[in-house]
Amino acid sequence: MAKAEIESYVFSKISRPGCDSERIQYVREQVFPSLFEDVGQDAVWKLANEFYSRIYSDSFMIEIFAASTKDEAIQNQFEFLVQLFGGPKMYASRKGKYTRLVSRHAAYQITEAHAVRWLLHMESALNTIPSFSSDEFRFRALMDYFSYTAYWIVFGVQQGYVNRGQPSGATTIDSGRNW
């Protein structure tokens, strides 16, 4: 499956003006490398906590996250975001070199409705943390990237876009919680 086909689906779902392939590349290359340094570890920890407090209070979303404890989910997201935002490679040191977000979510029936709700909770969480909410450019860059990623995962899961020969090519929920 070509990246163009996936992005065609992804960008058809995102209603954020100016969010396109070039914007996502810019965010990855120009915003994220220094974001951790700009906001700090405490802000990223607060974001993961705020987000999962919302997720674990949402009966619609909890079905996706029920295979892990709230503390595990917070730790996974915190480490992933630290690494994504240019900080230490905490996530990779525990999970492996590649994030493989589609593969890690392949066992769950993630729909567009889940993506919408996930984004709502992430936006609400970002709004509670001044390091993210006080800078409109940063806030928009994060929401553009999170929107892109949420719909990429939905498409990948629905289409079975998983490389089964690579680590984390999940087809069932990992009872060992190594996701």
Side-chain angles (χ1 to χ4, degrees):
M1 185 169 312
K3 181 178 179 182
E5 181 182 354
I6 300 168
E7 286 193 340
S8 175
Y9 166 83
V10 168
F11 292 119
S12 76
K13 302 301 175 187
I14 298 173
S15 60
R16 302 182 60 75
C19 184
D20 58 22
S21 187
E22 291 78 26
R23 167 75 171 164
I24 297 304
Q25 183 175 348
Y26 175 81
V27 170
R28 283 183 179 146
E29 294 174 0
Q30 302 299 318
V31 177
F32 285 169
S34 63
L35 188 58
F36 181 75
E37 185 177 314
D38 293 344
V39 301
Q41 183 170 318
D42 187 52
V44 179
W45 182 253
K46 286 177 184 175
L47 178 59
N49 273 277
E50 280 291 330
F51 175 74
Y52 276 107
S53 289
R54 296 165 196 287
I55 290 292
Y56 276 80
S57 296
D58 183 332
S59 60
F60 179 69
M61 293 299 287
I62 195 63
E63 66 191 47
I64 294 173
F65 296 94
S68 67
T69 68
K70 182 179 172 184
D71 288 342
E72 289 169 326
I74 290 168
Q75 187 66 35
N76 282 333
Q77 187 178 60
F78 167 71
E79 291 176 1
F80 174 78
L81 292 176
V82 164
Q83 182 172 316
L84 179 67
F85 297 165
K89 298 197 179 307
M90 301 164 77
Y91 190 83
S93 69
R94 202 165 51 88
K95 301 288 191 172
K97 181 179 177 182
Y98 302 104
T99 56
R100 296 190 189 1
L101 290 177
V102 172
S103 295
R104 292 189 190 282
H105 294 86
Y108 307 97
Q109 298 302 311
I110 299 173
T111 66
E112 289 178 15
H114 289 108
V116 168
R117 188 75 66 92
W118 190 98
L119 290 165
L120 175 72
H121 289 308
M122 180 54 76
E123 184 172 20
S124 295
L126 285 166
N127 273 318
T128 68
I129 302 159
S131 298
F132 297 112
S133 63
S134 65
D135 182 324
E136 180 62 30
F137 175 80
R138 178 180 296 151
F139 183 85
R140 183 169 173 240
L142 287 165
M143 286 307 300
D144 286 349
Y145 179 80
F146 289 142
S147 297
Y148 175 85
T149 303
Y151 287 107
W152 184 282
I153 290 170
V154 168
F155 182 87
V157 167
Q158 290 178 352
Q159 299 297 314
Y161 185 62
V162 176
N163 186 340
R164 307 255 181 241
Q166 294 176 342
S168 304
T171 56
T172 61
I173 296 172
D174 183 358
S175 61
R177 294 187 172 151
N178 186 22
W179 53 275

